[in-house]
Amino acid sequence: MSIEQHDVRHLARLAKLALDEPDIPALATELARIVEYVAELAAVDTTGVEPWLPGAVPAAPLRPDTPARGLSAELALDQAPRRRERAFAVPAFVDDE
Amino acid sequence: MSESVPSLVSGVQAGRLSAEALTEGALGVIERAGPLNAFLHVDGEGARAAARGLDERRVRGDELGPLAGIPIAVKDSLCTQGMPTTAASRSLTRDGSARSGWRPPYDATVVSRLRAAGAVIVAKTNQDELAMGSSSENSAFGAVKNPWDLARTPGGSSGGSAAAVACRATPLALGSDTGGSIRQPAALCGVVGIKPTYGRVSRYGLIAFGSSLDQVGPLATDVRSAARLLGVLSGHDPLDSTSATVPVDDYEAACERGARGLRIGVPSEYFASGLSPEVERAVRAGLDALRDAGATIVDVELPHTRYGVATYYVLATAEASSNLARLDGVRFGLRVEAERGNLDGLYGASRSAGFGREVQRRILLGTFVLSSGYYDAYYAKAQRVRALVARDFERAFARVDAIAAPTSPTVAFRLGERLTDPLAMYLADVYTLPASLAGLPALSVPAGLSTATDADPALPVGLQLIGPAFAEASLLALAACVEAACPPSTPEPWA
């Protein structure tokens, strides 16, 4: 699997990154090298092996179901780069593709 | 500050030392250490007030906590109320400057625990952006330099925290380790660094990178100081559903246990090509010290070690690409309005202006391995190979109590040396990644210095100890034996 420039543009769209066009050729080369390296995993025999996550945590214990106060709206909005009244402000998006 | 933390705390509790004097000492070194670029934010005023408060409480006869009066530096990827938190990323600033960093409305649990234990938080430390890197050069606010040689990196990503301890600004610092980000900088800076078992320490308030890997842990001047801090950090946190309810051992008592009766496995895979002869010499001397202290050394095999780097860079980037979706310019951090004024435009413009090259590269790679058509070949495959890496350790730990190996294949490398070659940088983590993948505890303890030559100064070497889940106490017992044979040293200008 090699990564071409059009693949980088596609991935950037999926990842919501607006890459600068001049950066794309170098990114494609770097990603291609890394993907070529990680492709060595294909050679490992994983027949009958299940996907694995750290099992050290015995069972995620549940919190007691007691009401607690969360962040106030004012505190949550305190660091917002743009807000409108008691809400985060975003551009209109209903007419996006 | 050459005393260990337990001794300093006793001094503060008995009134022999004042928290205020310790804090002034730390702030003085931080000022002199400016050229290291290890600190992103120094809270002199807050630290002095906290220290004064502690001294007043002592005079009143109040009981002081286990870190009473100890100045500590905190990695900038941990949330600190009242102090900026940027994780060295422009994406967590208002205008791109560290000063305009995001101010979290809450403390990370580990930070709350520090405050409750009486520690004095003096500074936030520089790091690789969002913890992605092995040299602390990927910071949006400039590279961190190694106190042993300013032309070299301190390692990463917790490079600022390691440098803070190495230059003796603070005897303790907090770091986070996803694939080696505490242990590798600890090794390269000649300090002790512990990555606890996955689940041992709460991650609530740690800016997430790879959620199945991230752990917070201590960096310290010496083993007993690290043990004291680990004891404070460890334990269940209802705010982190991955935090374990397993009882916390007495880590300081463990440091006095010695090595007699313990079996240590040495994996040949960690002494393969690419290992610097100077690192090997120092690590083997450390193994001799463990043998002299009564441990039995045996060979073990960890055959899937060679797949650690590939497995890690698939899984960690996949998790990062998902975790970092929250940095979108809407609720906090950098917002850049796009020419095309829709929501996608806002996301794209804000994220591209906010993230540096390495972060963008990893998001793209993570997006690739999770994308339709490649998921099974890369992501699902890596999860299975991860199982094999963990199984290797399981088999080894049926025969031994701990595994000893180098922490890093080389001593500190020169600034800029690997920046243009991401893959070469990733290979710096070859010996730390497997324990991370298996969720196991691991630490790095100084094992002496390399031999100085005309071209290179003497530089620190770290010996890594890996244990079964929740066996931090055994690792500390062994680390104390290595330390007894090889006491901590301080780089010349900071001694």
Side-chain angles (χ1 to χ4, degrees):
Chain A
M1 169 69 205
S2 134
I3 301 257
E4 308 291 342
Q5 293 184 30
H6 65 87
D7 297 314
V8 175
R9 287 189 196 92
H10 174 63
L11 292 171
R13 254 195 316 279
L14 293 174
K16 310 281 187 217
L17 289 170
L19 300 178
D20 287 334
E21 197 53 36
D23 288 340
I24 290 176
L27 272 169
T29 309
E30 290 160 6
L31 287 172
R33 254 196 91 207
I34 298 168
V35 169
E36 188 188 321
Y37 179 80
V38 301
E40 71 173 18
L41 294 179
V44 186
D45 182 2
T46 52
T47 316
V49 179
E50 289 301 315
W52 187 87
L53 283 170
V57 182
L62 294 175
R63 270 204 299 269
D65 187 17
T66 44
R69 202 173 286 278
L71 281 186
S72 68
E74 200 42 52
L75 203 51
L77 286 161
D78 180 53
Q79 302 275 307
R82 269 187 67 194
R83 60 184 283 187
R84 187 173 296 170
E85 294 165 7
R86 282 166 60 84
F88 298 105
V90 293
F93 55 86
V94 283
D95 57 352
D96 275 10
E97 65 225 84
Chain B
M1 229 181 263
S2 54
E3 261 180 270
S4 78
V5 165
S7 153
L8 289 168
V9 171
S10 301
V12 171
Q13 287 169 337
R16 174 172 63 83
L17 296 167
S18 78
E20 225 177 333
L22 292 176
T23 300
E24 286 305 333
L27 292 170
V29 180
I30 288 173
E31 202 175 314
R32 285 202 301 284
L36 298 177
N37 198 28
F39 304 97
L40 292 180
H41 179 79
V42 182
D43 184 18
E45 203 180 317
R48 287 187 180 103
R52 253 193 319 274
L54 274 156
D55 289 332
E56 285 165 10
R57 284 179 51 205
R58 187 195 63 77
V59 171
R60 282 203 304 271
D62 292 358
E63 200 174 314
L64 302 181
L67 294 175
I70 299 301
I72 186 163
V74 173
K75 188 178 185 180
D76 205 35
S77 53
L78 286 159
C79 288
T80 43
Q81 203 170 11
M83 291 170 86
T85 297
T86 66
S89 180
R90 277 187 299 273
S91 65
L92 278 167
T93 68
R94 196 169 280 268
D95 63 15
S97 70
R99 190 174 309 165
S100 72
W102 175 55
R103 291 190 177 252
Y106 56 88
D107 274 334
T109 294
V110 287
V111 172
S112 309
R113 282 176 178 251
L114 290 182
R115 296 195 205 271
V120 175
I121 299 171
V122 291
K124 300 297 292 289
T125 58
N126 199 355
Q127 57 171 95
D128 283 299
E129 180 180 6
L130 295 160
M132 296 186 187
S134 310
S135 67
S136 300
E137 292 171 288
N138 290 334
S139 167
F141 309 115
V144 185
K145 300 183 176 69
N146 192 315
W148 289 84
D149 177 359
L150 266 57
R152 289 169 199 264
T153 86
S157 66
S158 310
S161 288
V165 175
C167 79
R168 303 300 189 250
T170 57
L172 298 176
L174 286 189
S176 68
D177 190 314
T178 304
S181 282
I182 290 174
R183 289 161 285 160
Q184 184 252 17
L188 271 43
C189 289
V191 303
V192 177
I194 306 176
K195 182 204 89 78
T197 308
Y198 185 80
R200 178 70 297 173
V201 173
S202 166
R203 291 105 50 88
Y204 177 73
L206 169 70
I207 292 164
F209 163 14
S211 300
S212 77
L213 297 147
D214 296 338
Q215 266 293 288
V216 180
L219 291 116
T221 46
D222 60 276
V223 173
R224 285 164 182 81
S225 301
R228 172 68 61 99
L229 178 53
L230 182 63
V232 168
L233 301 177
S234 296
H236 177 63
D237 175 14
L239 297 174
D240 175 0
S241 63
T242 64
S243 97
T245 51
V246 177
V248 177
D249 290 326
D250 184 340
Y251 298 130
E252 278 177 83
C255 297
E256 313 308 326
R257 245 191 245 163
R260 197 156 299 283
L262 292 177
R263 290 170 65 84
I264 298 172
V266 176
S268 57
E269 293 84 356
Y270 284 63
F271 292 84
S273 70
L275 176 63
S276 131
E278 277 297 302
V279 172
E280 176 162 5
R281 181 188 58 74
V283 169
R284 294 218 182 265
L287 291 173
D288 289 342
L290 289 168
R291 190 182 290 115
D292 293 345
T296 308
I297 311 282
V298 299
D299 291 333
V300 290
E301 285 179 3
L302 298 171
H304 293 91
T305 298
R306 57 173 291 209
Y307 299 109
V309 175
T311 305
Y312 175 85
Y313 278 94
V314 169
L315 297 177
T317 58
E319 294 181 20
S321 72
S322 167
N323 271 323
L324 297 185
R326 71 188 58 149
L327 296 175
D328 58 8
V330 174
R331 288 157 301 157
F332 41 71
L334 190 70
R335 177 181 179 119
V336 178
E337 306 283 351
E339 278 171 36
R340 198 169 149 237
N342 62 11
L343 188 59
D344 260 0
L346 171 71
Y347 290 154
S350 301
R351 286 162 62 77
S352 298
F355 296 140
R357 178 68 167 250
E358 178 62 20
V359 173
Q360 295 197 22
R361 194 156 41 218
R362 293 200 195 190
I363 290 174
L364 291 168
L365 183 61
T367 305
F368 169 75
V369 300
L370 288 176
S371 61
S372 161
Y374 302 108
Y375 181 94
D376 286 335
Y378 292 95
Y379 184 71
K381 181 76 181 184
Q383 281 188 310
R384 290 184 167 86
V385 180
R386 184 178 193 175
L388 296 175
V389 171
R391 208 178 281 175
D392 282 356
F393 280 114
E394 232 173 81
R395 288 200 182 113
F397 287 130
R399 295 178 49 221
V400 298
D401 300 290
I403 286 168
T407 307
S408 157
T410 66
V411 292
F413 43 95
R414 288 186 174 76
L415 290 161
E417 195 178 287
R418 300 185 189 178
L419 260 189
T420 50
D421 186 350
L423 201 49
M425 189 71 90
Y426 297 173
L427 291 169
D429 301 332
V430 62
Y431 298 145
T432 52
L433 294 172
S436 297
L437 288 167
L440 299 174
L443 61 75
S444 181
V445 58
L449 302 176
S450 63
T451 312
T453 64
D454 288 346
D456 299 310
L459 293 165
V461 173
L463 183 149
Q464 183 178 207
L465 293 161
I466 305 169
F470 301 105
E472 282 84 352
S474 310
L475 301 186
L476 286 161
L478 294 169
C481 296
V482 175
E483 185 176 79
C486 186
S489 48
T490 311
E492 195 56 47
W494 314 99

